[in-house]
Amino acid sequence: MTTSTSRSTEPSGVRRSLAHILPILSWAPRYERRDVRSDLAAGLTIGAMLVPQGMAYALLAGLPPEIGLYASIVPVLIYAVFGTSRQLAVGPVAIVSLMTASALAPLFDQGSAGYVSAAALLALMVGAVHLLLGVGRLGFVVNFLSHSVLVGFTAAAAIIIGFSQVKHVLGITVPRQEHFYETVHEVWLAAGEANRATVIVGVASIGLLLAMKRWARRAPGALVLVVTSIAAVHLFDLEARGVKTVGDIPSSLPAFGLPDLGADTFGSLVTAAFVITLVGFMESIAVAKVYARRHRYELDANQELVGLGMANMASGLFGGYPVTGGFSRTAVNDTAGARTPVASIVTALVVLLTVVFLTPLFSALPQAALGAIIIVAVVNLVDVKEMRHIAHVKRSDLVGLIVAFTATLTLGIELGILVAVVASMLVVFARMSRPHSAHLGRIPDTTSYRNVERFPEATTHDGILVVRIDAAVSFVNANHIKRLCLDEAERIDVEPRVLILDCSGINDIDATGIEALDEIVTELDESPVTLHLCDVKGPVRDVLRRSDLWDRLDGRIHATVHQAVTTIGGRDQPPRSLRSAGIDERDARREHTHV
């Protein structure tokens, strides 16, 4: 009987293991016929949107337009197999395209064979970094890029992206510059040479996209613009008037193969691969979480790294460039009715059929129209509303946002994001170095103790001061906490002269923290004030036991603040009794925040 049961459960265990590696096995067998129409509609809609966007973003990356189409076929199919998000629309996106151009431009001439091969190599490297993080379950690494930093970086990148397309809208030639302000200067100098017909096409394209965005949101605005602008080129013979077009696009399918480049190129792209992974995954996981919560299903962040890693590996092997999940296309995908990754499969097939049968039609597509598509797409990336929200919720987070925004505009994409991450971490360390603390008093008719600044009805006790530290004690803040405790002890001049350290907010302590606590105990043992601890958490208690402090404090460690006060024999005093403990209220308010 037991043998039979174990045999019957073994296949299901294997299926679960396979479904964890290949999420398609978890949803495909349960696919319902009622979802076909919704997924088909969403797939067709995103396909119509991705064809012009893919070509536009390839142009932004400095690549031929067909490379954007190649990056929109096999990678999209592969993500549908390995990804866990049902609505995420994977493919070329604006920020990753800009970062690709930033990484490759110093190495090769834009559009050259070496440049195209380097883009494929970069996609392979980005995929490898994703897989390394996903298989190693190291997805937490992306947390080094805080939300406020990402908002600032994205806004700056959007401005850089938008301005990089001005040359296409004006019909001018501008040499590539390393810094944004240099590009602005070059555009300003060349603006007088703008081609009038190109300007008309560019401005009209932006106007059409904005109008459709406002009054015809469900219509594929980019596709409408592509068809309209191609018709205008033929109707008014705009090429003869100086309007540049994308030219001939190969109708062949992407070839499978490894890019033929040396170790020097590989070494030059390592930093870019990590930065693109960091930024691309942050963008992707952020939008994927929104729709996972909305549709109530689980999203595995580490499996998402694997899914996006496999998609990028496929992009590199099939002549594409780095891809990730995009905000705008995912929103449209959900609105259009996507219920499962079948919608992504339909999208890939639409792009595939376009490459095989329709690419000759795109030869007359104006570059100004593609530039307009990019400009309108990145406008919403400058999220002023979210910046105001961050300022309202936590003003100190503006430091990371402003540093990210300024550094990206002045130093460039890679250095900007590096400076922003460092600044974000410094802000965290600054907060940790001066943790919040509070004087505690007992709430009348209870055994609960609360911050006397927030609970004015709380009562304190003669000669007993209860202080709570709300942070782990580590090398970052150990000296500050030591000084705080000793200063508080000096102010107690009424018997029984006891300082109770409420450890309920301390969830960890390192060797430096133990050393600081040892020094506090030593100095107070030589003074009239006695130190007691209470509400010590398990991890901290374990560390204290491994040191000699647990034995030194024998009889002075209590389960709760109330137990400590009762043991010591404190008597309640009126709410405004900080003076009875020998402490001036103004000093207390100055030393402690009111949280």
Side-chain angles (χ1 to χ4, degrees):
M1 186 76 173
T2 305
T3 304
S4 175
T5 302
S6 64
R7 284 176 180 173
S8 63
T9 57
E10 185 176 352
S12 63
V14 172
R15 281 196 297 270
R16 283 196 297 270
S17 298
L18 287 174
H20 182 72
I21 299 171
L22 299 171
I24 191 174
L25 298 179
S26 66
W27 60 264
R30 300 196 302 270
Y31 189 75
E32 298 181 10
R33 186 175 298 177
R34 64 181 181 180
D35 292 330
V36 172
R37 179 176 295 180
S38 297
D39 285 336
L40 184 61
L44 291 172
T45 301
I46 298 302
M49 185 178 182
L50 186 54
V51 168
Q53 278 195 353
M55 292 190 290
Y57 291 148
L59 187 71
L60 173 61
L63 293 161
E66 66 269 18
I67 303 300
L69 298 177
Y70 296 163
S72 305
I73 302 174
V74 181
V76 176
L77 291 171
I78 293 297
Y79 178 79
V81 174
F82 289 94
T84 58
S85 174
R86 300 172 190 172
Q87 283 77 32
L88 188 67
V90 172
V93 298
I95 290 179
V96 171
S97 298
L98 175 66
M99 297 174 75
T100 299
S102 178
L104 301 184
L107 305 178
F108 300 95
D109 293 332
Q110 286 193 354
S112 65
Y115 192 98
V116 173
S117 294
L121 175 62
L122 183 58
L124 286 172
M125 294 171 67
V126 169
V129 176
H130 274 85
L131 290 174
L132 177 65
L133 295 177
V135 174
R137 308 195 72 77
L138 300 173
F140 66 88
V141 172
V142 301
N143 294 330
F144 287 123
L145 193 61
S146 69
H147 174 64
S148 58
V149 166
L150 186 62
V151 170
F153 168 78
T154 302
I159 293 173
I160 294 173
I161 291 168
F163 209 83
S164 71
Q165 300 306 298
V166 171
K167 62 182 180 183
H168 297 301
V169 174
L170 297 180
I172 58 177
T173 301
V174 177
R176 184 190 177 278
Q177 302 296 329
E178 186 174 352
H179 298 108
F180 173 68
Y181 59 87
E182 294 173 336
T183 302
V184 173
H185 180 67
E186 290 294 332
V187 169
W188 176 261
L189 294 178
E193 303 173 5
N195 179 272
R196 182 176 298 179
T198 302
V199 172
I200 293 173
V201 171
V203 173
S205 297
I206 293 173
L208 175 62
L209 290 172
L210 292 176
M212 294 195 66
K213 194 173 182 180
R214 181 169 183 178
W215 290 297
R217 299 181 68 88
R218 291 184 175 274
L223 184 61
V224 172
L225 172 61
V226 166
V227 174
T228 304
S229 61
I230 290 175
V233 167
H234 288 299
L235 184 62
F236 299 106
D237 194 18
L238 294 180
E239 284 190 84
R241 301 184 182 208
V243 175
K244 296 178 182 178
T245 60
V246 298
D248 293 333
I249 300 175
S251 58
S252 58
L253 293 175
F256 177 84
L258 289 169
D260 184 18
L261 291 168
D264 291 343
T265 304
F266 179 89
S268 301
L269 295 177
V270 169
T271 302
F274 276 95
V275 174
I276 290 174
T277 297
L278 180 67
V279 175
F281 183 67
M282 281 291 292
E283 178 178 350
S284 179
I285 197 68
V287 69
K289 283 181 177 179
V290 169
Y291 292 99
R293 285 195 299 268
R294 182 173 298 177
H295 294 281
R296 299 181 181 179
Y297 62 85
E298 291 296 323
L299 191 74
D300 186 337
N302 288 302
Q303 185 59 36
E304 280 299 289
L305 280 166
V306 172
L308 290 170
M310 294 300 292
N312 276 283
M313 295 291 282
S315 187
L317 292 173
F318 284 91
Y321 73 104
V323 297
T324 193
F327 284 110
S328 59
R329 286 199 304 272
T330 300
V332 173
N333 200 29
D334 180 67
T335 302
R339 297 292 176 266
T340 72
V342 167
S344 294
I345 296 173
V346 174
T347 295
L349 293 176
V350 170
V351 180
L352 176 63
L353 293 174
T354 301
V355 170
V356 174
F357 298 109
L358 302 178
T359 48
L361 301 177
F362 293 114
S363 61
L365 176 62
Q367 291 185 5
L370 292 180
I373 290 172
I374 295 173
I375 290 172
V376 173
V378 301
V379 166
N380 290 336
L381 295 181
V382 183
D383 197 342
V384 177
K385 182 180 178 181
E386 184 61 22
M387 293 178 187
R388 290 174 178 168
H389 176 70
I390 290 170
H392 176 71
V393 173
K394 190 75 172 179
R395 190 171 293 274
S396 60
D397 282 347
L398 285 176
V399 174
L401 190 155
I402 293 170
V403 169
F405 182 84
T406 306
T408 303
L409 280 182
T410 56
L411 302 177
I413 295 294
E414 292 183 13
L415 275 178
I417 198 66
L418 179 62
V419 170
V421 169
V422 172
S424 184
M425 295 177 69
L426 287 176
V427 170
V428 172
F429 281 128
R431 290 175 186 165
M432 292 172 59
S433 68
R434 297 184 65 85
H436 171 259
S437 59
H439 288 144
L440 304 185
R442 187 169 73 89
I443 303 299
D445 301 322
T446 72
T447 59
S448 300
Y449 282 72
R450 295 290 185 268
N451 184 346
V452 296
E453 295 296 337
R454 287 194 172 272
F455 295 84
E457 72 275 17
T459 60
T460 57
H461 308 274
D462 280 339
I464 299 175
L465 180 62
V466 184
V467 176
R468 188 186 69 219
I469 306 295
D470 293 328
V473 183
S474 66
F475 69 95
V476 178
N477 56 27
N479 189 63
H480 172 77
I481 291 173
K482 173 188 171 183
R483 191 70 266 152
L484 173 69
C485 290
L486 295 178
D487 287 347
E488 297 289 7
E490 286 181 2
R491 294 171 180 165
I492 306 174
D493 57 8
V494 178
E495 293 297 331
R497 293 191 177 183
V498 174
L499 175 64
I500 299 175
L501 186 61
D502 179 4
C503 301
S504 61
I506 303 174
N507 56 17
D508 192 25
I509 186 169
D510 66 5
T512 307
I514 285 292
E515 183 67 23
L517 185 57
D518 183 88
E519 293 173 2
I520 294 170
V521 173
T522 299
E523 292 196 32
L524 292 186
D525 283 349
E526 297 172 356
S527 76
V529 179
T530 305
L531 177 69
H532 287 245
L533 305 183
C534 68
D535 211 345
V536 182
K537 292 184 181 293
V540 178
R541 192 164 54 242
D542 294 340
V543 178
L544 291 176
R545 290 183 191 277
R546 289 194 291 270
S547 68
D548 65 344
L549 281 174
W550 188 266
D551 294 330
R552 287 181 62 188
L553 291 169
D554 185 38
R556 291 189 278 167
I557 300 179
H558 312 276
T560 65
V561 177
H562 184 70
Q563 185 186 85
V565 173
T566 303
T567 301
I568 296 164
R571 292 176 299 172
D572 287 350
Q573 293 296 316
R576 294 176 61 83
S577 64
L578 287 173
R579 287 193 182 91
S580 69
I583 301 170
D584 185 89
E585 287 183 71
R586 287 172 298 177
D587 290 339
R589 293 175 191 273
R590 185 168 57 249
E591 289 294 325
H592 299 276
T593 56
H594 297 172
V595 179

